[in-house]
């Protein structure tokens, strides 16, 4: 396990800013990361940039060099695409590059522009993260696919819509004071249960929104951190990634996410820790039920036990294992290509003490991000620790 210090992070506000391009959003996030790190574009050895649907939303491909240009860099730049896990995977590529010794400073991150599309266009664009032959042809959308998984979970393990509602309420509460979050308003159980149905069992508040946003982080080698006196407070100490059959019907169970289990196992092994060592986590709650799949796959809960965790107050800000203190995808927003590195940005701030919710978790030393692509056909888990 080689530690990879996070020298700086940056994130735009997530939300509806449809007039802004992805390159503009990434430029803002990268500029903030430079300032945070005390580094300059000339210091960057390589760029990994996450973006999912640039071709659909902006008619823009080849966005690796475009992101580098936005960040003022001419170093090698590669676009990473893994649907909603694009920038989480970009972070992992940066970690690997530094660990291999091939680079000392890597700019990672991502951006997505979504709200310039109508909801119908955005839904069709997002659906390309499913299997074109077997799922898209049959009309599957992401709210539809995750509702199939949620209904299967209810069938196998039980649970109710009210249990899911408590996840939405928790994540909206966590975002209340987060200026970067798309929704800074609290909701109650009635709001959730009486909201328009999107796809049963999900109503409006069970879904993450369409969002625009950018995120960035500067990863450095320990040698550079020391030589340049960067003094980062947090490092990535473990990383894992895995894949699963793309189409839901090809999986052994629609109520489990084994790609996340495998990614977590690798990340825990890499960090030399287990689930019990994690103090806080940012997980991929694109739908309320997805948070349940995540906390079970990560080993925080046995199968069938995660559904009521928020309702019991165990994953709330004052609970034993606070989940999604940023507001999660549900309330912070979900500009898909920016989400994974956005989790890294928020978790870094939470751990080093400069996030609005840091005071509630002042003793937290170990955090984890879980970032999933599609219906968890891809998943990346990164483990972060306060540097001693
Ligand atoms: N949670 C809370 N409020 C939301 C919301 C959400 N997910 N989505 C939209 N809203 C609010 C808007 O802010 C707006 O409020 P206002 O009237 O006070 O301004 C209102 O609901 C209507 O917004 P609109 O954008 O017209 O909603 P919509 O009905 O077109 O779309 C969803 C709502 C849930 C269908 C859409 O956000 C969606 O498809 N989400 C899922 C995205 C997705 O699949 N991501 C990939 C996951 S793998």
């Amino acid at each position: 396990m080689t530690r990879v210090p996070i020298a700086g992070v940056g994130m735009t506000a997530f939300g509806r800013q449809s007039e802004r391009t992805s390159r503009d959003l990434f430029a803002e996030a990268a500029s903030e990361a430079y300032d945070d790190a005390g580094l300059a574009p000339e210091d960057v050895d390589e760029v990994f940039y996450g973006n999912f649907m640039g071709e659909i939303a902006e008619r823009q491909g080849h966005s690796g060099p475009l992101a580098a240009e936005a960040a003022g860099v001419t170093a090698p730049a590669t676009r990473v695409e893994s649907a909603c896990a694009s920038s989480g995977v970009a972070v992992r590529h940066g970690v690997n590059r530094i660990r291999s010794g091939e680079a000392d400073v890597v700019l990672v991150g991502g951006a997505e522009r979504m709200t310039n599309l109508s909801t119908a266009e955005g839904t069709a664009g997002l659906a390309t993260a499913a299997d074109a032959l077997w799922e898209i042809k049959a009309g599957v959308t992401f709210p539809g696919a995750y509702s199939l998984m949620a209904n299967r979970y209810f069938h196998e393990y039980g649970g109710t819509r009210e249990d899911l509602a408590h996840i939405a309420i928790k994540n909206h509460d966590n975002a209340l004071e987060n200026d970067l979050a798309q929704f800074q308003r609290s909701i109650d159980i009635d709001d959730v249960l009486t909201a328009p149905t999107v796809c049963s069992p999900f109503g409006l508040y069970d879904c993450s929104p369409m969002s625009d946003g950018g995120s960035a982080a500067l990863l450095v080698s320990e040698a550079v951190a020391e030589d340049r006196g960067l003094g980062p407070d947090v490092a990535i100490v473990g990383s894992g990634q895995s894949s699963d059959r793309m189409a839901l019907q090809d999986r052994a169970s629609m109520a489990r996410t084994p790609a996340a289990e495998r990614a977590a196992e690798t990340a825990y092994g890499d960090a030399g820790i287990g689930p019990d060592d994690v103090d806080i986590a940012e997980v991929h709650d694109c739908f309320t039920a997805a948070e349940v799949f995540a906390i079970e796959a990560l080993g925080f809960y046995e199968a069938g036990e995660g559904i009521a965790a928020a309702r019991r107050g165990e994953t709330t800000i004052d609970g034993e294992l606070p989940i999604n203190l940023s507001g999660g995808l549900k309330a912070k927003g979900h500009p898909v290509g920016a989400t994974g590195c956005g989790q890294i940005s928020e978790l870094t701030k939470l751990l080093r003490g400069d996030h609005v919710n840091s005071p509630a978790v002042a003793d937290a030393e170990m955090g984890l991000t879980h970032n999933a692509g599609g219906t968890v056909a891809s998943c990346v888990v990164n483990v972060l620790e306060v540097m001693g």
Side-chain angles (χ1 to χ4, degrees), residues 63-153:
S63 53
L66 197 64
E69 180 186 323
V73 177
T74 51
T78 306
R79 171 194 179 172
V80 177
E81 191 279 299
S82 195
C84 306
S86 295
S87 61
V89 176
V91 170
R92 181 171 153 78
H93 280 304
V95 168
N96 289 342
R97 196 62 105 226
I98 286 177
R99 283 175 160 183
S100 75
E102 292 168 272
D104 280 312
V105 179
V106 180
L107 174 64
V108 295
E112 204 77 57
R113 184 182 187 189
M114 299 173 77
T115 71
N116 58 321
L117 302 175
S118 67
T119 300
E121 289 167 336
T123 302
L126 289 166
T128 63
D131 187 317
L133 293 183
W134 299 105
E135 295 181 307
I136 305 177
K137 254 189 189 167
V140 161
T141 62
F142 272 88
Y146 270 92
S147 74
L148 287 171
M149 296 166 78
N151 282 318
R152 185 68 210 179
Y153 183 100

Side-chain angles (χ1 to χ4, degrees), residues 315-335:
T315 52
T316 52
I317 193 164
D318 50 0
E320 254 169 66
L321 177 57
I323 301 286
N324 283 329
L325 285 175
S326 69
L329 283 52
K330 168 76 257 317
K332 178 169 95 269
H334 183 26

Side-chain angles (χ1 to χ4, degrees), residues 16 84 119 123 126 142-143 146 183 185 198 204-205 207-210 286-287 330 334:
R16 184 172 273 280
C84 306
T119 300
T123 302
L126 289 166
F142 272 88
Y146 270 92
F183 301 120
R185 63 166 194 270
V198 174
L204 180 69
Y205 292 107
C207 305
S208 60
M210 302 284 185
C286 50
F287 299 94
K330 168 76 257 317
H334 183 26

